[in-house]
Amino acid sequence: MKKRIFIALNLSEKVRKRLKEYQEKTKDMFALRSFSGGGPVRWTKIPSLHITLVFIGYVDNEQMLEACKIAREVAGKAEPFLINFKRISFGPVGNAPRMIWLEMAENRELDDLKKKLEEALVSKDAGLRKVENRPFSPHITLARIKAGEWQEAQINPAEVEHDFKVQFEVNSIEVMESDLKFDGAEYATLESCPLGGET
């Protein structure tokens, strides 16, 4: 049976705690109004919050092991670095909002890490990855908007959007499995690859 996999950054407990506080506060604000079906968004579970670096797709066991090997090799040659989160807003930019997400400040080390992962996945003869042309827009999806209920609720963007300044040290990347469920995806870490692990 094939697995649906990707490479990601998991978050520190500090960041998860801050995001949990935001989710609970916003849920309470939504609860003060009457919505059918429990609210105008589907919240991402706190343990599932992550930053996707490279989506690989459905792979067999041999390809999964190759993806883990490549992730270990690339991570071992990289050094830990800091990223900065900046703002909770609607996404994607320039389109009708489909989600509430946490944006990141531009980060050269993160861009380089993604590029090296993609190059390694494409160059290896494992059938793992095709070149992706769309620009990299790192973010954390906090909630997905239910379009019809969102319009009925008439939410003021100022009630949702605000600055979110927090710094996070990246020490590892993870090969993750995504199991698509009716009420949202569930994620499991297949392998954690520490940065700077090469000796």
Side-chain angles (χ1 to χ4, degrees):
M1 183 175 176
K2 291 194 171 184
K3 297 179 183 292
R4 186 175 186 265
I5 69 170
F6 61 98
I7 300 174
L9 303 180
N10 280 325
L11 306 178
S12 68
E13 287 306 311
K14 174 185 175 182
V15 176
R16 290 184 191 278
K17 182 179 178 181
R18 289 276 306 274
L19 291 174
K20 182 178 181 180
E21 290 169 355
Y22 168 82
Q23 281 193 352
E24 290 175 347
K25 179 180 177 181
T26 309
K27 284 178 186 177
D28 289 344
M29 182 266 292
F30 287 164
L32 295 174
R33 309 174 189 187
S34 62
F35 301 114
S36 60
V41 303
R42 185 175 71 245
W43 293 99
T44 305
K45 297 172 184 176
I46 293 297
S48 296
L49 295 174
H50 64 271
I51 302 166
T52 299
L53 291 177
V54 182
F55 178 73
I56 296 173
Y58 288 94
V59 298
D60 58 29
N61 192 58
E62 183 178 347
Q63 291 171 319
M64 180 196 71
L65 293 174
E66 181 67 18
C68 290
K69 178 183 175 183
I70 290 170
R72 286 195 304 271
E73 291 173 351
V74 173
K77 296 175 183 176
E79 293 298 325
F81 60 93
L82 296 173
I83 58 177
N84 291 285
F85 298 106
K86 60 180 185 177
R87 183 168 176 78
I88 293 173
S89 63
F90 294 107
V93 176
N95 296 293
R98 298 199 305 270
M99 62 188 77
I100 300 171
W101 67 14
L102 173 58
E103 297 176 81
M104 287 175 46
E106 291 184 9
N107 188 286
R108 181 177 55 80
E109 290 93 342
L110 184 64
D111 291 343
D112 288 347
L113 181 59
K114 174 183 170 62
K115 182 179 178 181
K116 288 172 182 174
L117 283 167
E118 288 184 323
E119 288 174 348
L121 290 165
V122 169
S123 65
K124 298 284 185 178
D125 186 21
L128 286 172
R129 177 81 185 153
K130 294 181 180 178
V131 176
E132 189 171 22
N133 293 320
R134 62 181 179 178
F136 181 40
S137 179
H139 63 273
I140 299 170
T141 301
L142 302 179
R144 297 190 181 277
I145 291 171
K146 303 175 186 176
E149 294 179 39
W150 185 265
Q151 291 173 355
E152 291 177 9
Q154 297 182 338
I155 301 293
N156 184 337
E159 295 178 289
V160 175
E161 297 186 321
H162 72 272
D163 290 340
F164 187 93
K165 308 291 187 184
V166 63
Q167 194 172 70
F168 167 51
E169 184 174 22
V170 179
N171 293 302
S172 67
I173 58 175
E174 280 70 46
V175 181
M176 307 283 291
E177 179 183 3
S178 172
D179 187 8
L180 301 179
K181 304 285 189 181
F182 176 76
D183 60 347
E186 292 183 358
Y187 304 106
T189 299
L190 300 175
E191 180 153 357
S192 184
C193 308
L195 300 190
E198 185 177 71
T199 55

